Amino acid sequence: MLSLETHNLSHRFSSGQDVLRNINLTVEQGAIYGFLGPNGAGKTTTLRLILGLLKRQEGSITLFGKAFDKNRIDILRRVGSLIESPSVYGHLSAKENLAVFQKVYQCPTAHIPHVLDLVGLGDTGRKRASQFSLGMKQRLSIALALLPAPELLILDEPTNGLDPNGIIEMRELLKRLNREHGTTLLVSSHLLAEIEKLVTHLGIIHQGELIFQGTLNALKSKQQQTLHIVLEAGDPRAAMRLLLDDHMEALYTDGHIRLPAMTKTEIAAMNRKLVSAGIEVYAIRPVKNDLESIFIDLVNS
Ligand SMILES: Nc1ncnc2c1ncn2[C@@H]1O[C@H](COP(=O)(O)OP(=O)(O)OP(=O)(O)O)[C@@H](O)[C@H]1O
């Protein structure tokens, strides 16, 4: 069952160029979906369209199996969101902030202490939100979004501006929400390293196009396909000459030689050739591309 599906979502601002082209997102119920892309890729625009904050121009959006356009109110009741800067009242405490929104959402008052505990702000008492750290403000904003007990929570770069501790706390909070409350999460980020510890699924957007979508494991399996070999030699110039003469795709970079993946037998043969040519071999090691390199490769290809 899908919580969210977009079909050929495209968008263009009046200033001209297409900022989104045929975005087909599929977010399964219960997933933690990381929506990843460099700055300006189109993440916020996509999320704003999904939430009806921008007028849809092309394509369709389906949430919980229902067309967004025809079921807007019903759908938005089931979705919580935090897009861009947190909107909390600085002169009010966490509890008072929540009380304001509880009236707007018309949800039970019992939700207030519950979400406060959930985001770890249960003991902030009368302290005003203006005195909160950025991480606390961010968690309070999430508490506001959680008040109506949404099935789907959409967060735009929730760790922006947080220190490493704040990032860890946020990650733990989101995992807990997903695990204990079954909340489906759609979380955007421009940092793979930050999101890979959180998500089950990933969509990678670049220049308005979705260039990868699948499970984190599917992305990781690309690691196996992108192995390369690093060679450290005493005389890298001589080693390069020998390898190129041998028609190998060797590349000299950062003080070492980079070669495409090869079998153990091929590695041994290369080693023999180098040594018998009088070139000292310090190291030959296979390197698995980390996820960050896969991301960069995807974005650059
Ligand atoms: N209101 C607007 N008018 C014109 N262009 C816009 C508007 N909002 C966004 N854009 C442009 O659309 C493109 C996508 O922006 P968007 O904010 O969706 O990217 P993003 O992936 O969320 O990036 P960031 O992480 O920097 O916010 C950018 O080129 C941006 O300059």
Side-chain angles (χ1 to χ4, degrees):
M1 164 106 165
L2 294 178
S3 284
L4 165 69
E5 193 175 12
T6 70
H7 182 66
N8 287 344
L9 200 59
S10 298
H11 195 79
R12 158 188 303 217
F13 288 102
S14 51
S15 46
Q17 269 194 332
D18 285 354
V19 292
L20 296 180
R21 278 181 298 278
N22 300 321
I23 300 291
N24 295 309
L25 288 186
T26 47
V27 180
E28 284 172 31
Q29 187 183 15
I32 306 184
Y33 187 106
F35 191 33
L36 189 71
N39 291 126
K43 303 179 295 293
T44 307
T45 307
T46 308
L47 300 184
R48 288 170 66 87
L49 282 167
I50 291 169
L51 290 162
L53 299 171
L54 262 181
K55 194 165 164 24
R56 189 181 51 79
Q57 298 167 343
E58 267 178 60
S60 61
I61 301 167
T62 309
L63 283 125
F64 316 114
K66 294 179 182 169
F68 182 76
D69 292 348
K70 295 193 182 121
N71 303 277
R72 203 184 162 98
I73 308 265
D74 277 352
I75 284 174
L76 288 177
R77 263 189 232 284
R78 298 165 70 181
V79 181
S81 65
L82 174 57
I83 302 281
E84 285 152 7
S85 50
S87 51
V88 298
Y89 294 109
H91 62 291
L92 300 181
S93 69
K95 196 174 162 188
E96 287 164 345
N97 262 290
L98 286 168
V100 172
F101 284 83
Q102 175 261 325
K103 290 195 182 75
V104 175
Y105 295 139
Q106 297 179 331
C107 57
T109 44
H111 280 195
I112 296 178
H114 174 65
V115 295
L116 273 180
D117 283 341
L118 205 59
V119 301
L121 294 176
D123 58 358
T124 50
R126 299 181 58 80
K127 190 171 182 168
R128 292 174 178 194
S130 58
Q131 293 163 346
F132 284 6
S133 68
L134 187 64
M136 290 165 80
K137 279 186 193 147
Q138 202 78 337
R139 281 185 280 137
L140 178 55
S141 304
I142 291 185
L144 298 177
L146 287 176
L147 212 43
E151 292 160 55
L152 170 66
L153 187 60
I154 298 180
L155 305 172
D156 192 17
E157 308 243 5
T159 51
N160 247 4
L162 298 186
D163 62 16
N165 247 340
I167 291 173
I168 294 169
E169 282 174 8
M170 181 62 69
R171 193 189 306 140
E172 291 312 311
L173 164 63
L174 298 181
K175 277 187 176 172
R176 200 164 59 241
L177 276 174
N178 178 259
R179 197 176 52 236
E180 293 174 11
H181 295 260
T183 314
T184 306
L185 294 163
L186 170 56
V187 185
S188 79
S189 175
H190 62 279
L191 295 173
L192 175 63
E194 212 174 271
I195 213 159
E196 68 168 294
K197 297 191 187 81
L198 171 69
V199 302
T200 55
H201 294 71
L202 267 174
I204 301 181
I205 185 172
H206 179 56
Q207 294 180 345
E209 286 181 27
L210 201 62
I211 55 173
F212 173 86
Q213 180 167 239
T215 61
L216 186 63
N217 285 339
L219 184 67
K220 279 185 175 164
S221 72
K222 285 183 180 283
Q223 276 177 300
Q224 309 305 331
Q225 298 157 15
T226 49
L227 272 174
H228 66 268
I229 306 285
V230 164
L231 163 69
E232 286 175 33
D235 185 347
R237 277 169 194 272
M240 275 298 286
R241 268 197 305 276
L242 185 144
L243 295 168
L244 293 174
D245 284 350
D246 225 13
H247 307 292
M248 295 183 77
E249 287 175 43
L251 192 75
Y252 184 65
T253 165
D254 296 334
H256 61 251
I257 295 169
R258 189 177 158 149
L259 293 144
M262 54 179 99
T263 63
K264 283 180 180 169
T265 321
E266 288 166 335
I267 291 175
M270 176 181 74
N271 185 40
R272 269 197 307 276
K273 266 187 202 161
L274 290 164
V275 173
S276 44
I279 300 166
E280 289 189 315
V281 175
Y282 299 150
I284 300 177
R285 58 173 186 276
V287 172
K288 280 187 184 185
N289 271 352
D290 58 11
L291 281 183
E292 201 65 46
S293 336
I294 296 172
F295 173 54
I296 291 164
D297 285 350
L298 278 173
V299 163
N300 288 338
S301 62

